[in-house]
Amino acid sequence: FFFYIISICFFCNTHNLLNQFNCWVTHLRYCNIFVNMIPRPILLALVVLATTTSKVSSFAPQSLVKYSPRALEMAVDDKDEVREYFNNEGFSRWNKIYSESDEVNTVQLDIRDGHGQTIEKILNWIEADGDIKGKSLCDCGCGVGSLAIPVASMGAKVSASDISDAMATESARRAKELGIKNAKFYTSDLESVTGKYDTVTCVDVAIHYPTEKMGEMITHLCSLAEDRVIISFAPKTWYYVFLKKIGEFFPGPSKTTRAYLHEEPFIREALRKSGFEVAREDMTATNFYFSRLLEAKRV
């Protein structure tokens, strides 16, 4: 337990760990006193109120989030927040993580490894099928081209986009450096991507989508795909919710965008409603990276 507390503090670049930890312990003591002082019905009402107005609305029941003005406001703000972050400070940080740079700490190195494992699993699926050459693939939220570039090198016709102009530009630069000519990279939010493609991929993007927007996002991805959709997301389990809640006690300068966990049954149902059925699945979990991977095919 204490190992995870210290680890998450390190991940958030917390420079005054001891003081914040003492403060956290003090909060727990006062919280215990407060809980024992008030009747249970009132306590339950306060919990519901806090859940529906919390900054991290993805942990609230969907029925409550739906009618929360704060949640609706967050849905509007998230896209601008993510775009701003990945065009500035976030680009510098994640460009180093998704590269061979030595300017990364232990936690960032762990995330690089986890993301790399997810990409490798997708590439293994594609290679096992043996029919990607000449087919079209749309990579939504391509980042620096970690998936788009190797798929293009396998012979696919790739169209890759990212909400961050800095990310899309870096992807194009890397592809050009490798002599890749069958891939185009451009700046766009996911909802504005159009066209029809044999395969549509969206890797490690869902973490930026609030619960109330996730269904629409999956529906749009499926509308672009002729054959299959490959999507990854951070699963909402009690364990990961617990770790995330602990992390919220230690806000740091690197936590500049909201992070959302998603329930797998909801993702599967959204895919089913769009005419897709999960054919393959996998899970990547390292110390600081966890990602559920689903491949759904049109039925």
Side-chain angles (χ1 to χ4, degrees):
F1 177 76
F2 284 101
F3 166 78
Y4 273 107
I5 291 177
I6 295 173
S7 299
I8 293 173
C9 289
F10 180 67
F11 174 58
C12 296
N13 295 326
T14 307
H15 301 292
N16 198 2
L17 173 61
L18 183 58
N19 287 339
Q20 293 200 44
F21 181 78
N22 289 336
C23 180
W24 179 69
V25 171
T26 302
H27 278 308
L28 284 183
R29 290 171 179 167
Y30 279 113
C31 180
N32 187 51
I33 295 172
F34 176 72
V35 167
N36 289 328
M37 285 176 60
I38 62 177
R40 286 295 180 270
I42 297 178
L43 177 61
L44 178 59
L46 289 174
V47 169
V48 172
L49 178 63
T51 303
T52 56
T53 57
S54 170
K55 181 178 181 182
V56 185
S57 68
S58 60
F59 293 113
Q62 292 187 24
S63 59
L64 295 177
V65 173
K66 181 178 179 181
Y67 299 104
S68 168
R70 174 59 179 156
L72 295 177
E73 177 187 338
M74 287 171 60
V76 175
D77 293 343
D78 275 304
K79 186 185 293 185
D80 291 336
E81 183 179 87
V82 170
R83 181 187 292 109
E84 177 68 19
Y85 174 67
F86 284 103
N87 270 328
N88 295 284
E89 177 190 0
F91 170 71
S92 176
R93 176 176 291 113
W94 291 96
N95 189 34
K96 290 178 181 177
I97 293 176
Y98 296 153
S99 70
E100 299 299 322
S101 173
D102 294 328
E103 298 179 29
V104 290
N105 58 40
T106 303
V107 175
Q108 292 169 333
L109 192 60
D110 180 86
I111 294 172
R112 176 192 292 174
D113 178 58
H115 180 74
Q117 288 182 39
T118 296
I119 296 298
E120 189 65 26
K121 289 170 182 176
I122 296 173
L123 294 175
N124 287 340
W125 286 351
I126 293 175
E127 186 176 9
D129 292 339
D131 61 351
I132 195 64
K133 188 173 182 179
K135 291 190 175 182
S136 58
L137 181 141
C138 176
D139 188 19
C140 297
C142 65
V144 295
S146 302
L147 175 63
I149 292 174
V151 171
S153 69
M154 297 168 72
K157 295 178 291 186
V158 174
S159 176
S161 63
D162 199 278
I163 194 172
S164 163
D165 184 63
M167 288 287 189
T169 300
E170 174 62 15
S171 295
R173 185 197 68 79
R174 293 189 183 191
K176 183 178 180 180
E177 191 175 80
L178 294 172
I180 300 293
K181 297 181 179 180
N182 53 317
K184 67 172 183 177
F185 300 89
Y186 63 101
T187 305
S188 174
D189 58 37
L190 189 151
E191 293 83 358
S192 299
V193 175
T194 60
K196 288 291 183 179
Y197 309 89
D198 294 311
T199 298
V200 174
T201 59
C202 189
V203 182
D204 292 350
V205 174
I207 197 167
H208 302 300
Y209 273 76
T211 303
E212 63 273 14
K213 286 290 183 180
M214 194 61 185
E216 296 176 17
M217 178 254 223
I218 293 174
T219 299
H220 182 63
L221 290 174
C222 291
S223 73
L224 302 172
E226 296 281 11
D227 180 36
R228 64 178 169 184
V229 171
I230 298 176
I231 184 172
S232 73
F233 59 95
K236 185 179 179 182
T237 67
W238 71 266
Y239 179 68
Y240 292 132
V241 168
F242 172 73
L243 291 184
K244 190 171 184 297
K245 283 295 187 183
I246 294 297
E248 289 171 19
F249 282 103
F250 304 92
S254 65
K255 293 178 67 175
T256 53
T257 61
R258 302 180 185 94
Y260 298 98
L261 309 183
H262 300 287
E263 296 177 352
E264 185 169 334
F266 176 80
I267 304 294
R268 287 175 174 264
E269 179 62 15
L271 289 167
R272 188 193 65 77
K273 287 181 178 179
S274 294
F276 286 76
E277 184 177 297
V278 174
R280 286 185 284 205
E281 57 190 86
D282 212 318
M283 177 74 192
T284 302
T286 63
N287 291 325
F288 298 98
Y289 174 95
F290 44 97
S291 182
R292 182 68 168 147
L293 183 62
L294 300 178
E295 178 198 59
K297 292 193 173 184
R298 187 175 290 280
V299 293

